[in-house]
Amino acid sequence: MQPRLTTTVSILSLSTVTGITTAITGIIPQLKRAFPRVPTTLIEWVVTIANCSALITLLLNPRLTNRWGLRPVVISGLLLSAVMGLIPVFTANFTVIMLSRLGLGLGVGLFSPHAISLLTHSFTGELRARLLGYQTGLSALGNAVLLGLAGLLIGISWHAVFWLYGGSSSLRD
């Protein structure tokens, strides 16, 4: 039996936010101006640290999924990403921003590997192949939309770009 349409859309929607950690790349010049005493290499780590910390939960993901189940792990990852991603909206403390980015990566590592695995485990045959193609396209589209929105929000302030994390990390099922 194939999953319901809402389940299919929810699974595919994961693909649109798997690249969320890089959405803030364009604010690095503003961060350099906002934090003139912070070395440039450390400011650039604001993007990189999320990807590094995602590796931790990517490696732990099989154990976490076996212990608590797939759905709780994915939803926890989405919620953790949303909360941690939003923290920089409300602070100008560089250390807090870095810690929130670390937490964001931990959340991303909880849900991102399941964007493809849920499709391969939930669907068969030609439908699976078609949905895997959609997944690839949605991942690229999600990245393009997030980067485009980030580009618009940069005009408001570097803080505004972090609002993307609240709106992009929701699962509908």
Side-chain angles (χ1 to χ4, degrees):
M1 178 164 71
Q2 299 292 345
R4 298 176 312 177
L5 178 61
T6 55
T7 302
T8 305
V9 170
S10 295
I11 292 170
L12 286 172
S13 72
L14 282 176
S15 300
T16 64
V17 294
T18 54
I20 191 72
T21 59
T22 60
I24 64 153
T25 304
I27 68 167
I28 295 209
Q30 287 89 340
L31 291 176
K32 287 179 187 177
R33 285 190 296 278
F35 302 103
R37 293 195 173 139
V38 176
T40 300
T41 53
L42 191 56
I43 288 174
E44 290 170 350
W45 267 89
V46 168
V47 176
T48 309
I49 196 167
N51 293 327
C52 291
S53 65
L55 289 173
I56 296 167
T57 45
L58 280 169
L59 293 172
L60 294 174
N61 209 301
R63 287 185 181 160
L64 298 171
T65 303
N66 284 338
R67 181 171 179 141
W68 286 295
L70 180 63
R71 185 179 175 101
V73 168
V74 169
I75 291 173
S76 297
L78 289 167
L79 290 172
L80 181 61
S81 296
V83 170
M84 293 303 212
L86 284 170
I87 288 173
V89 170
F90 307 106
T91 186
N93 182 309
F94 190 77
T95 302
V96 172
I97 291 169
M98 286 296 279
L99 291 172
S100 74
R101 299 292 296 170
L102 186 84
L104 169 76
L106 294 173
V108 169
L110 290 174
F111 73 80
S112 66
H114 301 294
I116 293 175
S117 68
L118 282 168
L119 290 174
T120 59
H121 293 299
S122 302
F123 300 94
T124 58
E126 187 179 314
L127 179 59
R128 178 194 306 174
R130 192 170 8 142
L131 291 175
L132 286 169
Y134 292 159
Q135 182 276 331
T136 301
L138 286 170
S139 180
L141 178 64
N143 287 339
V145 168
L146 288 169
L147 287 171
L149 289 172
L152 293 173
L153 292 170
I154 285 172
I156 297 169
S157 78
W158 65 264
H159 288 281
V161 175
F162 290 95
W163 281 110
L164 290 172
Y165 293 98
S168 63
S169 297
S170 61
L171 182 64
R172 298 170 189 93
D173 192 7

